[in-house]
Amino acid sequence: FSFVVNRATPRAPEVEQALSTLATAGPVTPITLGDRRAFARALVDGHAVTEFAPRSSKAVVEVQAYWDWLKAHMKEKDAWQVV
């Protein structure tokens, strides 16, 4: 497992506090997903943000970065634990 911070407000001290606190309980992804309007707008139409927003949008870039990180770490035998 790993933790990912979602709906993070950019440059908010609470995000860093959350990352630090979560790190005491397990692995935390280096990627945070921001609080972006594109997520809500995509959801209204029943889409994922990657289907809705342009590839260059911050929301899509963040989701792609998280997916890339997740795929890389799933391949590492000891990176994931079943609880």
Side-chain angles (χ1 to χ4, degrees):
F1 77 93
S2 69
F3 294 106
V4 60
V5 175
N6 190 15
R7 296 194 68 191
T9 304
R11 297 175 301 280
E14 294 83 4
V15 174
E16 288 302 320
Q17 291 170 349
L19 292 170
S20 295
T21 301
L22 290 170
T24 65
V28 180
T29 67
I31 311 299
T32 57
L33 301 177
D35 187 9
R36 312 245 179 249
R37 290 185 192 147
F39 289 111
R41 290 178 179 159
L43 185 60
V44 167
D45 290 333
H47 293 99
V49 75
T50 53
E51 299 171 306
F52 174 81
R55 289 183 186 199
S56 61
S57 74
K58 290 181 180 181
V60 172
V61 169
E62 290 170 352
V63 168
Q64 187 62 53
Y66 173 64
W67 178 239
D68 292 341
W69 180 89
L70 186 61
K71 285 190 300 186
H73 282 78
M74 287 178 67
K75 292 178 182 176
E76 295 178 9
K77 184 177 180 180
D78 295 328
W80 297 91
Q81 301 174 17
V82 177
V83 179

